[in-house]
Amino acid sequence: MKKVYIETYGCQMNVNDTEVIFAILAKAGYERTESIDEANLIMANTCSIRDNAEQRIWGRIEVFNQQRKSRPGVLVGIVGCMAERLKDKLLDTRKVDLVVGPDAYRSLPRLLEAITPESPQMDVLLSREETYADITPVRTDRNGISAFISIMRGCNNVCSYCVVPYTRGAERSRDANSIVREACDVYSKGYKEVTLLGQNVDSYLYKSETETVNFAQLLARVADIAPDLRVRFATSHPKDISDEVIYTMASKPNICRHIHLPVQSGSSRMLELMRRKYDREWYLERVSKIREVMPDCGLTTDVIAGFCTETEEDHALTMSLMDEVGFDWAFMFAYSDRPGTLANRTMQDDVPADVKNRRLNEIIELQNRKSLERYRGKIGHSMHVLVEGPSKRDPNMLCGRASNNMMCVFPAGNLKKGDYTDVTVTDATSATLICK
Ligand code: 5AD
Ligand code: SF4
């Protein structure tokens, strides 16, 4: 049996795509390996979101190529967003045998058959229909407790900084019944948590001849599978997250109290230039609504520092919004100009690198303080956690997430992974609740 080794970069959707690729390659006689040295096929599932993500992959291609030179017959494939974006440029290196975009994974077996040293193969066609609905992903998580399920692909927003609509194509929603079936299937295999994935889950809309299912309805259906199956989802868009979704979450205790709601900037002027289609006030109103309905809901976000024309005043508005909302956690980035995006074509990346970095550091420093405040605020509270396994720091302790997504660490007792338990928070860092 041939062996395939895949490195995955970028978002959770890519992690799930890798699981789909393993399933497709299994049919072509490939078995998964975690050792690059024994692989017949070496792949990277890549990300293009920021320039540094792509730079890392160029470095990995050199490493893969050494394997290819020292072990004749080994094939190297680059798939995912960077494959879609850079196509021929990857093949031109002559270090890659296979280039496949996110909608073309079904053609992998055929392409692999056709590869010869003289003819590398490529398929980067984007699709309006492909959702891989009928493919059962080969789960690659190690704990067997928490599974990711893609509910849609692509993106129809045109955030001016973002490369995703170009690398992942138009938005399409997967058949609701196939999603529910997949969730039932993982539950029957012992999983206790599913995370529904999409670039913008709030615009999920599945239509067939007999039914129309929106995201709130899908959430409810998945939550109804079993009371001890937790449901999470990502990512929400502030312009689209509806009251119906918020009330559906509130009505089902097994839908986790956590929303990842990327704000990107606290300045309405920046949000307009970013084409986010909401302003600061709208965002703050959505946060108020969420907290009014679910006071204990965890909120996390994404922030970009130094987008085109950003002034000190805009930056101060981002800081004040972060201060006001008090996110539990945030992913924070310096703006990276991406070829082909609207910003790249029509705006100047005019914030100097040192200014971008200074603002990013200020944002990170503020968020660290806020995270510590938020986590310490839970001291004395009781948390319902799903046990994931031993804590990384201290193998005598277990770890697991609370409904609001905060990581908890607690003594093992008689607990094992997959159990639910109630713990009391006794101490906290900015990323972990210490519990008893
Ligand atoms: N530069 C920096 N950050 C970006 N993101 C998306 N595009 C860019 C870019 N060009 C960030 C956004 C998004 C997250 C996934 O990555 O914050 O929410
Ligand atoms: Fe995921 Fe976006 Fe990176 Fe593609 S570019 S892998 S969609 S984060």
Side-chain angles (χ1 to χ4, degrees):
M1 197 134 176
K2 287 174 287 186
K3 296 204 163 134
V4 53
Y5 166 88
I6 309 184
E7 290 182 3
T8 306
Y9 297 85
C11 57
Q12 280 302 339
M13 310 216 44
N14 254 21
V15 175
N16 194 230
D17 280 6
T18 293
E19 299 180 327
V20 165
I21 294 170
F22 278 127
I24 291 169
L25 288 177
K27 287 197 190 125
Y30 280 89
E31 184 179 72
R32 176 182 168 211
T33 173
E34 292 190 43
S35 155
I36 191 170
D37 297 315
E38 63 169 28
N40 308 90
L41 170 60
I42 300 171
M43 303 215 287
N45 190 359
T46 60
C47 174
S48 286
I49 198 110
R50 283 168 291 274
D51 185 55
N52 54 13
E54 289 192 353
Q55 292 313 324
R56 249 170 101 192
I57 310 287
W58 287 118
R60 293 308 292 161
I61 290 175
E62 295 305 322
V63 174
F64 295 173
N65 192 43
Q66 272 157 20
Q67 290 273 345
R68 196 165 164 264
K69 280 200 290 204
S70 64
R71 293 192 293 128
V74 167
L75 300 176
V76 170
I78 301 298
V79 304
C81 288
M82 190 172 161
E84 191 63 46
R85 199 180 86 69
L86 293 174
K87 304 176 176 114
D88 300 298
K89 197 170 163 201
L90 287 161
L91 288 187
D92 289 346
T93 61
R94 309 185 129 264
K95 294 172 183 166
V96 171
D97 305 285
L98 181 69
V99 170
V100 182
D103 285 346
Y105 298 144
R106 281 182 207 268
S107 58
L108 278 166
R110 178 175 54 76
L111 297 171
L112 282 164
E113 282 279 303
I115 291 173
T116 66
E118 298 73 40
S119 58
Q121 298 289 314
M122 171 161 83
D123 187 347
V124 288
L125 278 183
L126 287 173
S127 156
R128 294 194 157 271
E129 287 95 38
E130 182 63 90
T131 59
Y132 302 112
D134 56 316
I135 293 177
T136 306
V138 175
R139 304 283 161 200
T140 56
D141 63 279
R142 279 159 209 258
N143 70 9
I145 294 300
S146 181
F148 292 90
I149 300 183
S150 289
I151 64 164
M152 59 205 298
R153 299 183 68 83
C155 184
N156 278 358
N157 295 323
V158 273
C159 302
S160 57
Y161 51 80
C162 189
V163 76
V164 173
Y166 308 95
T167 61
R168 283 186 169 264
E171 179 184 293
R172 62 225 101 115
S173 295
R174 176 177 167 190
D175 180 338
N177 303 296
S178 80
I179 296 167
V180 174
R181 259 199 314 275
E182 189 173 328
C184 286
D185 179 55
V186 296
Y187 179 67
S188 73
K189 294 187 170 124
Y191 283 80
K192 292 289 174 61
E193 184 173 84
V194 294
T195 303
L196 308 180
L197 294 175
Q199 293 292 344
N200 177 4
V201 290
D202 305 286
S203 62
Y204 175 88
L205 192 64
Y206 171 68
K207 283 188 189 157
S208 71
E209 274 165 22
T210 51
E211 60 177 353
T212 300
V213 184
N214 68 16
F215 181 59
Q217 293 161 332
L218 178 73
L219 256 185
R221 277 203 204 177
V222 177
D224 286 341
I225 291 172
D228 66 339
L229 178 68
R230 274 185 166 183
V231 187
R232 297 185 181 275
F233 57 90
T235 298
S236 301
H237 195 302
K239 80 174 161 64
D240 295 317
I241 185 163
S242 63
D243 288 355
E244 193 190 354
V245 167
I246 298 170
Y247 286 119
T248 302
M249 288 176 74
S251 72
K252 310 259 178 200
N254 59 331
I255 303 181
C256 289
R257 302 286 184 263
H258 170 232
I259 301 180
H260 185 63
L261 198 64
V263 64
Q264 314 298 5
S265 170
S267 155
S268 294
R269 189 183 76 85
M270 281 291 103
L271 291 169
E272 168 92 39
L273 283 178
M274 290 173 165
R275 308 254 164 149
R276 290 289 287 173
K277 303 198 179 101
Y278 58 86
D279 58 12
R280 178 186 176 95
E281 287 64 40
W282 173 278
Y283 187 89
L284 291 173
E285 187 282 328
R286 289 289 76 193
V287 170
S288 305
K289 183 75 194 182
I290 292 163
R291 288 191 167 154
E292 173 202 317
V293 179
M294 295 176 289
D296 54 347
C297 190
L299 269 180
T300 53
T301 200
D302 294 346
V303 181
I304 298 177
F307 184 62
C308 309
T309 80
E310 187 187 72
T311 62
E312 291 303 326
E313 202 184 334
D314 295 314
H315 170 59
L317 284 164
T318 297
M319 300 274 284
S320 78
L321 181 134
M322 293 172 73
D323 190 44
E324 188 175 334
V325 174
F327 295 104
D328 296 334
W329 183 249
F331 295 98
M332 298 160 280
F333 312 102
Y335 172 60
S336 167
D337 186 19
R338 305 310 292 130
T341 59
L342 191 70
N344 172 261
R345 284 180 280 124
T346 64
M347 298 170 212
Q348 284 248 317
D349 179 14
D350 56 358
V351 178
D354 57 334
V355 176
K356 265 186 206 170
N357 286 330
R358 191 208 77 229
R359 290 180 189 165
L360 177 63
N361 286 334
E362 287 175 9
I363 286 172
I364 292 172
E365 204 248 322
L366 168 64
Q367 183 53 46
N368 285 342
R369 258 192 352 257
K370 297 307 274 190
S371 293
L372 187 62
E373 243 173 59
R374 297 281 308 167
Y375 277 67
R376 290 199 66 87
K378 301 293 178 199
I379 293 176
H381 288 231
S382 165
M383 296 280 168
H384 191 56
V385 301
L386 171 59
V387 180
E388 287 181 14
S391 148
K392 281 193 198 96
R393 285 251 179 93
D394 179 353
N396 295 318
M397 303 278 273
L398 290 175
C399 68
R401 285 178 193 281
S403 174
N404 70 0
N405 211 38
M406 287 183 176
M407 185 54 91
C408 299
V409 178
F410 43 90
N414 294 325
L415 296 163
K416 55 183 192 314
K417 75 175 183 184
D419 287 346
Y420 286 99
T421 187
D422 290 304
V423 297
T424 304
V425 184
T426 55
D427 200 1
T429 68
S430 59
T432 313
L433 299 177
I434 321 293
C435 309
K436 65 175 183 195

mmCIF file of all heavy atoms in Angstrom, residues 49-50 161-162 262 264 302-304 333-336 338, ligand 1:
data_model
loop_
_atom_site.group_PDB
_atom_site.id
_atom_site.type_symbol
_atom_site.label_atom_id
_atom_site.label_comp_id
_atom_site.label_asym_id
_atom_site.label_seq_id
_atom_site.Cartn_x
_atom_site.Cartn_y
_atom_site.Cartn_z
ATOM 1 N N ILE A 49 -3.644 33.362 3.202
ATOM 2 C CA ILE A 49 -4.320 34.512 3.800
ATOM 3 C C ILE A 49 -3.379 35.685 4.049
ATOM 4 O O ILE A 49 -3.755 36.831 3.851
ATOM 5 C CB ILE A 49 -5.073 34.083 5.086
ATOM 6 C CG1 ILE A 49 -6.113 35.131 5.471
ATOM 7 C CG2 ILE A 49 -4.160 33.843 6.270
ATOM 8 C CD1 ILE A 49 -7.501 34.692 5.283
ATOM 9 N N ARG A 50 -2.147 35.391 4.471
ATOM 10 C CA ARG A 50 -1.143 36.447 4.630
ATOM 11 C C ARG A 50 0.133 35.995 3.949
ATOM 12 O O ARG A 50 0.365 34.796 3.792
ATOM 13 C CB ARG A 50 -0.886 36.718 6.127
ATOM 14 C CG ARG A 50 -1.989 37.545 6.776
ATOM 15 C CD ARG A 50 -1.874 37.563 8.281
ATOM 16 N NE ARG A 50 -2.166 36.254 8.823
ATOM 17 C CZ ARG A 50 -3.406 35.823 9.103
ATOM 18 N NH1 ARG A 50 -4.446 36.603 8.937
ATOM 19 N NH2 ARG A 50 -3.591 34.599 9.552
ATOM 20 N N TYR A 161 -9.614 43.235 1.793
ATOM 21 C CA TYR A 161 -8.267 42.762 2.098
ATOM 22 C C TYR A 161 -8.094 41.277 1.831
ATOM 23 O O TYR A 161 -7.002 40.742 1.934
ATOM 24 C CB TYR A 161 -7.958 43.024 3.594
ATOM 25 C CG TYR A 161 -9.045 42.505 4.515
ATOM 26 C CD1 TYR A 161 -9.126 41.161 4.851
ATOM 27 C CD2 TYR A 161 -10.033 43.371 4.991
ATOM 28 C CE1 TYR A 161 -10.146 40.684 5.651
ATOM 29 C CE2 TYR A 161 -11.057 42.900 5.797
ATOM 30 C CZ TYR A 161 -11.107 41.557 6.115
ATOM 31 O OH TYR A 161 -12.132 41.095 6.887
ATOM 32 N N CYS A 162 -9.184 40.567 1.530
ATOM 33 C CA CYS A 162 -9.182 39.107 1.678
ATOM 34 C C CYS A 162 -9.088 38.339 0.366
ATOM 35 O O CYS A 162 -9.803 38.607 -0.596
ATOM 36 C CB CYS A 162 -10.437 38.670 2.433
ATOM 37 S SG CYS A 162 -10.364 36.933 2.867
ATOM 38 N N PRO A 262 -15.518 38.101 14.153
ATOM 39 C CA PRO A 262 -14.392 38.963 13.769
ATOM 40 C C PRO A 262 -14.831 40.413 13.537
ATOM 41 O O PRO A 262 -15.746 40.665 12.751
ATOM 42 C CB PRO A 262 -13.907 38.340 12.454
ATOM 43 C CG PRO A 262 -14.331 36.919 12.534
ATOM 44 C CD PRO A 262 -15.666 36.958 13.242
ATOM 45 N N GLN A 264 -12.407 43.036 13.001
ATOM 46 C CA GLN A 264 -11.363 43.567 12.081
ATOM 47 C C GLN A 264 -10.893 44.964 12.452
ATOM 48 O O GLN A 264 -9.702 45.231 12.450
ATOM 49 C CB GLN A 264 -11.800 43.533 10.595
ATOM 50 C CG GLN A 264 -12.442 42.241 10.139
ATOM 51 C CD GLN A 264 -11.557 41.006 10.224
ATOM 52 O OE1 GLN A 264 -10.439 41.059 10.717
ATOM 53 N NE2 GLN A 264 -12.074 39.865 9.812
ATOM 54 N N ASP A 302 -11.327 38.614 15.529
ATOM 55 C CA ASP A 302 -10.108 38.819 14.724
ATOM 56 C C ASP A 302 -9.942 40.318 14.536
ATOM 57 O O ASP A 302 -10.939 41.033 14.331
ATOM 58 C CB ASP A 302 -10.253 38.214 13.316
ATOM 59 C CG ASP A 302 -10.365 36.706 13.308
ATOM 60 O OD1 ASP A 302 -10.080 36.073 14.338
ATOM 61 O OD2 ASP A 302 -10.745 36.164 12.247
ATOM 62 N N VAL A 303 -8.695 40.777 14.568
ATOM 63 C CA VAL A 303 -8.418 42.207 14.381
ATOM 64 C C VAL A 303 -7.254 42.363 13.412
ATOM 65 O O VAL A 303 -6.277 41.613 13.482
ATOM 66 C CB VAL A 303 -8.048 42.866 15.728
ATOM 67 C CG1 VAL A 303 -7.779 44.356 15.541
ATOM 68 C CG2 VAL A 303 -9.147 42.664 16.759
ATOM 69 N N ILE A 304 -7.376 43.318 12.512
ATOM 70 C CA ILE A 304 -6.275 43.624 11.590
ATOM 71 C C ILE A 304 -5.726 45.012 11.931
ATOM 72 O O ILE A 304 -6.489 45.981 12.012
ATOM 73 C CB ILE A 304 -6.751 43.621 10.120
ATOM 74 C CG1 ILE A 304 -7.273 42.233 9.727
ATOM 75 C CG2 ILE A 304 -5.621 44.057 9.189
ATOM 76 C CD1 ILE A 304 -7.841 42.150 8.312
ATOM 77 N N PHE A 333 -3.614 40.473 13.723
ATOM 78 C CA PHE A 333 -2.695 40.396 12.589
ATOM 79 C C PHE A 333 -2.301 41.785 12.110
ATOM 80 O O PHE A 333 -3.104 42.717 12.170
ATOM 81 C CB PHE A 333 -3.372 39.691 11.403
ATOM 82 C CG PHE A 333 -4.063 38.413 11.768
ATOM 83 C CD1 PHE A 333 -5.447 38.368 11.905
ATOM 84 C CD2 PHE A 333 -3.334 37.252 11.987
ATOM 85 C CE1 PHE A 333 -6.093 37.190 12.242
ATOM 86 C CE2 PHE A 333 -3.977 36.072 12.326
ATOM 87 C CZ PHE A 333 -5.357 36.036 12.455
ATOM 88 N N ALA A 334 -1.079 41.893 11.561
ATOM 89 C CA ALA A 334 -0.715 43.094 10.808
ATOM 90 C C ALA A 334 -1.261 42.908 9.394
ATOM 91 O O ALA A 334 -1.202 41.801 8.849
ATOM 92 C CB ALA A 334 0.799 43.255 10.779
ATOM 93 N N TYR A 335 -1.790 43.965 8.816
ATOM 94 C CA TYR A 335 -2.339 43.854 7.463
ATOM 95 C C TYR A 335 -1.260 43.395 6.492
ATOM 96 O O TYR A 335 -0.146 43.902 6.490
ATOM 97 C CB TYR A 335 -2.919 45.206 7.014
ATOM 98 C CG TYR A 335 -3.310 45.188 5.557
ATOM 99 C CD1 TYR A 335 -4.263 44.285 5.096
ATOM 100 C CD2 TYR A 335 -2.699 46.047 4.638
ATOM 101 C CE1 TYR A 335 -4.601 44.234 3.752
ATOM 102 C CE2 TYR A 335 -3.038 46.007 3.290
ATOM 103 C CZ TYR A 335 -3.981 45.098 2.858
ATOM 104 O OH TYR A 335 -4.303 45.042 1.534
ATOM 105 N N SER A 336 -1.633 42.440 5.640
ATOM 106 C CA SER A 336 -0.733 41.924 4.616
ATOM 107 C C SER A 336 -1.406 42.109 3.259
ATOM 108 O O SER A 336 -2.500 41.593 3.026
ATOM 109 C CB SER A 336 -0.481 40.434 4.915
ATOM 110 O OG SER A 336 0.131 39.775 3.839
ATOM 111 N N ARG A 338 -2.491 41.462 -0.266
ATOM 112 C CA ARG A 338 -2.573 40.222 -1.040
ATOM 113 C C ARG A 338 -2.883 40.515 -2.499
ATOM 114 O O ARG A 338 -3.891 41.171 -2.799
ATOM 115 C CB ARG A 338 -3.673 39.293 -0.480
ATOM 116 C CG ARG A 338 -3.566 38.948 0.983
ATOM 117 C CD ARG A 338 -2.187 38.448 1.422
ATOM 118 N NE ARG A 338 -1.819 37.159 0.891
ATOM 119 C CZ ARG A 338 -0.649 36.902 0.289
ATOM 120 N NH1 ARG A 338 0.255 37.829 0.137
ATOM 121 N NH2 ARG A 338 -0.401 35.705 -0.174
HETATM 122 N N1 5AD B 1 -3.983 40.677 6.138
HETATM 123 C C1 5AD B 1 -4.048 40.449 7.470
HETATM 124 N N2 5AD B 1 -5.010 39.710 8.031
HETATM 125 C C2 5AD B 1 -5.950 39.183 7.221
HETATM 126 N N3 5AD B 1 -7.032 38.424 7.480
HETATM 127 C C3 5AD B 1 -7.652 38.152 6.311
HETATM 128 N N4 5AD B 1 -7.006 38.729 5.299
HETATM 129 C C4 5AD B 1 -5.942 39.389 5.831
HETATM 130 C C5 5AD B 1 -4.903 40.181 5.292
HETATM 131 N N5 5AD B 1 -4.834 40.437 3.974
HETATM 132 C C6 5AD B 1 -7.427 38.006 8.836
HETATM 133 C C7 5AD B 1 -8.813 38.508 9.179
HETATM 134 C C8 5AD B 1 -9.640 37.253 9.112
HETATM 135 C C9 5AD B 1 -8.653 36.196 9.545
HETATM 136 C C10 5AD B 1 -9.018 34.812 9.171
HETATM 137 O O1 5AD B 1 -7.449 36.596 8.907
HETATM 138 O O2 5AD B 1 -8.778 39.017 10.490
HETATM 139 O O3 5AD B 1 -10.789 37.304 9.943
#
